[in-house]
Amino acid sequence: MDIRQIRCFVALYEEGSITRAARRMHVVQPAISQQIKRLEAYHDVQLFARDAHGVRPNALAHEFYRHCIRVLTELERASAVLSRGSDRFSGKICVGAQASFHQYVMPRALERFRDLYPEVEVLSRDGYRSDLISWLIAGDLDCALLSTTQDLLNMQTRDVSTEALVVVGHRDTLAGREAIGGRELAEWQLVLPSRYKSMRNLIDAHFGLQGITLRPELEVDSLQSLLHITLRPGWLSIIPPMALSSELFGGILRSVALVDPIIRRKVVVAWPRHKSLPTPVDRFVCTLSEILADIPGVEIHEPGPASGVES
């Protein structure tokens, strides 16, 4: 048994399809089948039931998977020990984040990180939450900044920040206000993300607990487009505070607190459960946290142990 067989087994186990496992491992499909057949033949066992719908792991595969995850985790930890032995960072890291980070926070974090670690090449990607999780599983991202953790059962996560969502609109529309209540907000012209966005689901869930149904006149997934609409007097939206800066739109937009309901969003950094967070990536997350700490309404969490991985 070698490490490649273990990686192929984990990919097939988690994907449930030779096609998806091959895409994840960046190999052709026969290569996955060959590695699994060699593993099964050498130990005279069967790990998967094969049918027209794909492959299904059996009881032995379930037990073997737990050991494989521990092996890959320890391998990543061993590699991290060697990485920490050098004070010089170089190479390439790939980080992903949802759209709200790219409006203000990510550009500044990238600039500061580049000044601190000029030999590290950084690729920053944005996308829907589902895209980011898929890229993490496929190994296309080292980590991703995501809100909430409900669908991250196969990931390690570490809390980064918590923030209360705010109401944003033209400064004349919100003149004289410091807060606006949910029931009052329902009477305004609203532009919100569609239900394809996790932000909208979070908003609807909290308003639903108050017995309030929001009926926005426009649904726009692009954060930049959404903010442009709120430049028009009379229009309001709900966004995380990290998405708005006084530098945007010449200060025409302002935000006020949303109350009844108060909606808090937790942000985590997530990465595959069998990997360690590379030191340059950890430093980038720390740099990003420093940017977040300067934003009113954002509470930074002190770095702590990761959750979601077996010890």
Side-chain angles (χ1 to χ4, degrees), residues 19-235:
T19 301
R20 292 194 296 272
R23 188 181 303 123
R24 170 170 163 179
M25 295 290 293
H26 304 290
V27 298
V28 295
Q29 295 181 35
I32 296 292
S33 299
Q34 187 179 56
Q35 292 291 344
I36 299 301
K37 286 179 180 178
R38 285 178 178 174
L39 183 63
E40 291 178 325
Y42 183 83
H43 295 279
D44 192 24
V45 297
Q46 183 173 351
L47 296 168
F48 296 94
R50 297 159 176 85
D51 55 37
H53 301 289
V55 297
R56 290 181 290 104
N58 57 26
L60 181 61
H62 291 316
E63 182 178 359
F64 183 54
Y65 173 75
R66 291 194 295 271
H67 291 283
C68 287
I69 289 297
R70 292 193 184 100
V71 169
L72 293 178
T73 299
E74 289 303 318
L75 185 63
E76 288 292 333
R77 288 174 176 170
S79 178
V81 168
L82 297 181
S83 297
R84 288 194 297 269
S86 172
D87 293 330
R88 182 181 177 186
F89 298 135
S90 62
K92 181 177 180 179
I93 63 174
C94 186
V95 298
Q98 294 172 266
S100 56
F101 280 87
H102 289 271
Q103 187 71 17
Y104 171 77
V105 174
M106 191 62 75
R108 284 152 183 81
L110 290 169
E111 291 172 3
R112 184 176 297 181
F113 186 80
R114 179 66 177 174
D115 291 339
L116 292 171
Y117 308 104
E119 295 186 22
V120 179
E121 180 183 352
V122 183
L123 172 61
S124 174
R125 301 184 66 181
D126 70 334
Y128 285 104
R129 178 188 181 81
S130 57
D131 292 331
L132 295 169
I133 294 174
S134 296
W135 295 337
L136 279 173
I137 292 173
D140 296 330
L141 293 178
D142 291 306
C143 73
L145 282 301
L146 301 166
S147 59
T148 69
T149 60
Q150 295 172 345
D151 53 354
L152 297 176
L153 297 179
N154 288 324
M155 298 288 162
Q156 295 189 70
T157 63
R158 193 175 75 201
D159 293 350
V160 174
S161 63
T162 301
E163 57 188 346
L165 302 190
V166 295
V167 177
V168 63
H170 192 283
R171 61 191 178 194
D172 292 340
T173 303
L174 294 171
R177 292 178 175 272
E178 297 299 327
I180 188 167
R183 294 191 183 279
E184 183 182 2
L185 185 64
E187 300 172 2
W188 290 76
Q189 289 180 297
L190 292 178
V191 53
L192 294 175
S194 74
R195 290 180 174 84
Y196 292 102
K197 301 284 281 187
S198 59
M199 178 68 67
R200 176 63 182 279
N201 294 325
L202 180 66
I203 291 169
D204 284 349
H206 280 77
F207 272 80
L209 292 174
Q210 299 286 331
I212 305 171
T213 300
L214 293 179
R215 295 182 173 85
E217 297 195 25
L218 289 174
E219 295 185 335
V220 179
D221 283 348
S222 166
L223 182 59
Q224 187 72 11
S225 297
L226 182 149
L227 291 175
H228 270 282
I229 292 170
T230 59
L231 287 170
R232 300 165 57 190
W235 284 83

